[in-house]
Amino acid sequence: MGLTITEKIIKSHLLEGAMERGKPAAIRIDQTLTQDATGTMAYLQFETMGLDRVKTELSVSYVDHNTLQEDWKNMDDHRYLQSAAAKYGVWFSRPGNGICHQVHLERFGAPGKTLLGSDSHTPTGGGLGMLAIGAGGLDVAAAMGGGAFHLVMPKIIGVRLSGALSGGASAKDIILELLRRETVKGGIGSVYEYCGGGVETLTVPQRATIANMGAELGATSSVFPSDEVSRQFLADRGREGVWQDLEADGDAVYDRIIGIDLSALKPLAAQPHSPDAVCAVAEIAGLAVDQVVIGSCTNSSLDDLAAAAEILKGKTIHPRVSAAVAPGSRAVLLAAEKAGILGELIRAGFRILESACGPCIGMGFAPKSGGVSLRTFNRNFKGRSGTSGAMVYLVSPETAAAAALTGCITDPSSLSFIRRETRAFLSRDERDNMGMLIPPPAPEAAAEILIERGPNIKPCPGPRAAEDSMDLPVLLKAGDNITTDDIMPAGAKVLPLRSNIPEIAKFVFTQLDPGFWERARNAGSGLILGGVNYGQGSSREHAALAPMYLGIRAVLAKSFARIHKANLINFGILPLVFADPGDYDRIAQGDLLEFRGVRSFLEAGIGGKAVLEALNRTKGGTCALYLEADERDRRMLLAGGLIPYTKLS
Ligand code: MIC
Ligand code: SF4
């Protein structure tokens, strides 16, 4: 039987398991990436492993999230990261060099390799035929230490592309179309693998846009073949040497096939406040727009900027619209300058933001109160922009540019523009491409390096082993599709506290319930109730770490998102699933639930599925709960998380 690309990469990296769908597997990780907002914890955890140097082929530490230096905190973090990178043999991408996923694709991406990153959009590398997966910082730290990455062997969904994009449609519209059909939970436990004649019509940056936003489907990853287009992308960046041909076998078996005819696609938009609330741009045309931003790891390539400039050149943006562009990398910025694109955008009235995540994570350029903002980003969760009442729409660069021009949502197909060729503007100058990437010093020099620990760097608190008896109050009853932004908000005020768990814990659930921290602190311990797809979105392990610090011992939900569930287990919090989802309705916030025999439940479940009963002491009645976890996860929970488990084994 033939293999898919995903299976081929997993097979060549398989350390444990038999590649059976839905069964546990462990793979070797070739490359890791971290970013500053998750990286400090990852390196603090790596340090506890007592190793001299990372054991991967390549590890890179990027600074791209916390670049708004309002005081000393973010810079303390950057210095810690830079010195830790040098000490442990990690490349360091300096602030200003660009967004981790964009830079990694350009400088280090290699077909057929595995990449684990402490950021949920790590699958961007799938645009170049990598198996790139997002994970919590602790899992990435373990991989840097040479440990295997444990995953459930995913289902493989084939996405067969036919035809070619035309008119105003863009790569963003392909992934928005998939989100429309599949929803934010459609991809849980799956990899989306692209095939069909439409693939060769897409450039690597376009493929990367699609693979990037596959994260919003809840997928483990997204993968494109590596072909002549990929070879050209690498050759243009002087890296043809890492190219290899990679495609699925003709008789590869997919769990399901989805067909998309690119020629039939029209410009789409994800409406507030979810990436799957997709409609045709034409349906909402005419809505007045206050703000437009082009950037983020989804749409900040040279081609994206060029498409916007084509629409805007020689014109001026509408007086109502405040517009900005954040090029994905310094290399993109330099090329955009050389190609005249930057000048065209500036002349049109765009503000230039640095090459970083910026507004995508609420780091500046927040919209006005109640404002309508069109962004080329991947997430529009409520409040993520920094303005809780803002209405954020996710669109392509073409749709964003059209709105900047007219002042209202406009289908770009109604404007005539031609796409320009930008390859010639890519720089071959080593300083332009590698100048802000600091390679790790030789191992002999590492002993001399002192790690800089400013006052913002606080040690990572340790988890507690599972207790056999627990009486836990329901501290919060949350609904469906709760995001990690809901659990642990980001933004300019909170992000600088990522290295300081006691402080950041004060912001847990603030958007949903400002009284949560106080209540949790008074209770000392408790649990959270959630609906379906609990913990979707960002990989931030702070959404597990800070609740753990506040005494959260369990989350009871109808289902969990992959990365967050792994983070909960890594930090010793029980992710329990209702056997009867109707029990969710029978439990209220404030109820006291009694759990007995938790340790024996975890032990008995090894090798099988046992049920844990919770008695509702407030209302009476019981509910049955499952733990969908393999033996390793159960042992981790018994030990109190990944770090104590690793020390025991
Ligand atoms: C995001 O897009 O939400 C982030 C910020 O990049 C996160 C990581 C983080 O919270 O630091 C992600 O996607 O994993
Ligand atoms: Fe940065 Fe936004 Fe991409 Fe997250 S989604 S890595 S915040 S640009």
Side-chain angles (χ1 to χ4, degrees):
M1 196 175 73
L3 297 179
T4 60
I5 300 170
T6 312
E7 286 168 315
K8 287 185 184 183
I9 303 180
I10 292 184
K11 191 173 174 205
S12 60
H13 290 80
L14 196 66
L15 298 174
E16 286 170 34
M19 295 217 313
E20 267 175 72
R21 313 275 220 262
K23 295 275 161 50
I27 55 170
R28 180 168 43 79
I29 294 298
D30 301 321
Q31 304 185 347
T32 63
L33 73 77
T34 55
Q35 41 90 339
D36 48 335
T38 53
T40 47
M41 279 299 144
Y43 294 100
L44 284 167
Q45 285 151 356
F46 180 80
E47 286 191 79
T48 66
M49 294 177 193
L51 298 172
D52 292 338
R53 213 169 166 81
V54 293
K55 296 200 170 144
T56 44
E57 283 175 14
L58 173 99
S59 286
V60 191
S61 172
Y62 292 92
V63 175
D64 54 0
H65 284 64
N66 276 325
T67 54
L68 214 60
Q69 290 151 227
E70 279 191 331
D71 62 16
W72 42 274
K73 292 193 200 70
N74 288 344
M75 198 61 201
D76 272 14
D77 286 5
H78 302 171
R79 287 298 189 217
Y80 166 74
L81 290 169
Q82 184 165 356
S83 55
K87 178 115 193 137
Y88 297 117
V90 173
W91 282 77
F92 183 68
S93 175
R94 303 181 64 180
N97 195 41
I99 306 174
C100 54
H101 309 303
Q102 178 71 29
V103 178
H104 205 87
L105 190 77
E106 290 170 3
R107 307 294 5 136
F108 300 113
K113 296 279 182 192
T114 53
L115 165 68
L116 193 71
S118 63
D119 192 282
S120 62
H121 291 104
T122 303
T124 312
L128 202 46
M130 303 184 89
L131 183 63
I133 302 178
L138 189 47
D139 282 328
V140 176
M144 287 193 287
F149 177 64
H150 294 259
L151 75 165
V152 174
M153 186 65 198
K155 281 190 253 164
I156 298 161
I157 305 174
V159 186
R160 182 158 293 142
L161 305 179
S162 57
L165 292 168
S166 64
S170 161
K172 181 65 154 278
D173 301 312
I174 303 177
I175 187 64
L176 287 173
E177 170 62 10
L178 213 47
L179 275 153
R180 186 184 71 77
R181 295 195 203 173
E182 297 275 289
T183 81
V184 289
K185 46 185 194 305
I188 294 180
S190 310
V191 169
Y192 288 85
E193 196 171 302
Y194 290 81
C195 56
V199 168
E200 68 193 34
T201 68
L202 300 173
T203 64
V204 168
Q206 287 178 313
R207 297 174 186 184
T209 292
I210 298 165
N212 170 284
M213 208 171 167
E216 273 50 70
L217 295 161
T220 305
S221 194
S222 298
V223 186
F224 275 84
S226 169
D227 55 8
E228 182 50 29
V229 176
S230 337
R231 195 195 58 73
Q232 191 63 60
F233 174 88
L234 289 164
D236 285 344
R237 286 154 185 84
R239 301 203 299 115
E240 199 178 347
V242 303
W243 181 79
Q244 57 163 294
D245 188 33
L246 195 58
E247 57 183 332
D249 292 332
D251 54 348
V253 179
Y254 299 98
D255 290 79
R256 162 161 92 78
I257 302 244
I258 303 172
I260 300 184
D261 175 6
L262 304 187
S263 6
L265 272 188
K266 298 272 175 276
L268 300 171
Q271 305 172 83
H273 300 283
S274 180
D276 62 0
V278 174
C279 70
V281 169
E283 275 173 53
I284 47 172
L287 181 74
V289 171
D290 302 291
Q291 189 191 64
V292 163
V293 203
I294 296 172
S296 92
C297 55
T298 316
N299 276 124
S300 56
S301 68
L302 188 57
D303 287 346
D304 289 330
L305 271 51
E310 258 322 303
I311 294 176
L312 290 154
K313 70 174 179 206
K315 311 203 169 92
T316 304
I317 59 170
H318 190 277
R320 180 172 47 232
V321 178
S322 164
V325 58
S329 70
R330 206 174 60 106
V332 168
L333 181 56
L334 286 165
E337 191 269 329
K338 211 156 125 199
I341 292 168
L342 202 61
E344 284 162 355
L345 292 175
I346 295 172
R347 265 178 238 114
F350 269 62
R351 288 163 62 179
I352 308 300
L353 306 179
E354 70 175 325
S355 294
C357 299
C360 177
I361 192 61
M363 276 281 175
F365 210 67
K368 73 167 199 175
S369 54
V372 170
S373 178
L374 257 61
R375 302 175 157 214
T376 64
F377 305 171
N378 48 37
R379 289 186 175 143
N380 57 348
F381 306 143
K382 202 169 184 338
R384 183 174 158 102
S385 65
T387 304
S388 59
M391 303 295 278
V392 177
Y393 292 75
L394 306 173
V395 297
S396 68
E398 291 83 348
T399 304
L405 201 60
T406 62
C408 52
I409 295 185
T410 303
D411 185 335
S413 320
S414 63
L415 311 170
S416 71
F417 64 99
I418 19 168
R419 291 172 195 280
R420 70 177 95 150
E421 180 53 68
T422 56
R423 276 180 54 208
F425 299 102
L426 294 171
S427 172
R428 302 268 162 178
D429 187 332
E430 185 71 357
R431 281 167 313 158
D432 290 357
N433 294 319
M434 300 300 284
M436 294 273 275
L437 278 162
I438 305 179
E444 311 77 73
E448 309 296 316
I449 293 164
L450 282 182
I451 297 189
E452 283 188 49
R453 281 174 226 276
N456 200 38
I457 308 293
K458 297 274 186 293
C460 176
R464 289 191 295 184
E467 285 140 346
D468 203 46
S469 295
M470 301 189 295
D471 294 322
L472 301 173
V474 179
L475 290 175
L476 186 80
K477 182 165 180 175
D480 287 346
N481 292 321
I482 290 295
T483 70
T484 44
D485 276 80
D486 294 324
I487 306 169
M488 185 75 262
K493 191 165 147 208
V494 186
L495 273 176
L497 304 171
R498 284 284 181 96
S499 317
N500 187 338
I501 301 302
E503 276 308 306
I504 207 169
K506 294 180 182 161
F507 294 88
V508 171
F509 283 121
T510 37
Q511 306 217 69
L512 291 186
D513 179 353
F516 180 82
W517 176 70
E518 194 79 58
R519 196 157 66 243
R521 213 173 45 143
N522 292 338
S525 64
L527 63 83
I528 308 291
L529 219 56
V532 295
N533 199 20
Y534 181 85
Q536 67 157 331
S538 150
S539 67
R540 61 191 70 155
E541 62 192 346
H542 297 74
L545 200 42
M548 175 204 81
Y549 176 80
L550 293 177
I552 302 302
R553 311 293 291 138
V555 179
L556 275 50
K558 293 183 190 170
S559 63
F560 288 89
R562 175 186 65 89
I563 305 179
H564 186 58
K565 181 176 157 195
N567 285 338
L568 289 173
I569 295 174
N570 280 351
F571 290 102
I573 299 178
L574 290 162
L576 297 168
V577 178
F578 290 108
D580 171 5
D583 280 334
Y584 168 89
D585 299 317
R586 290 184 271 275
I587 306 174
Q589 188 165 310
D591 286 0
L592 185 69
L593 301 192
E594 178 187 297
F595 300 84
R596 294 290 177 264
V598 176
R599 290 192 68 85
S600 43
F601 158 71
L602 289 172
E603 277 153 11
I606 291 172
K609 241 188 196 177
V611 168
L612 180 66
E613 286 227 321
L615 169 68
N616 191 330
R617 294 229 315 244
T618 311
K619 292 208 171 63
T622 58
C623 69
L625 299 157
Y626 285 124
L627 177 66
E628 288 169 344
D630 64 14
E631 176 170 345
R632 176 174 173 270
D633 290 339
R634 288 172 183 271
R635 292 198 195 284
M636 251 197 277
L637 286 165
L638 280 165
L642 181 56
I643 293 178
Y645 167 74
T646 315
K647 285 186 180 149
L648 284 178
S649 46

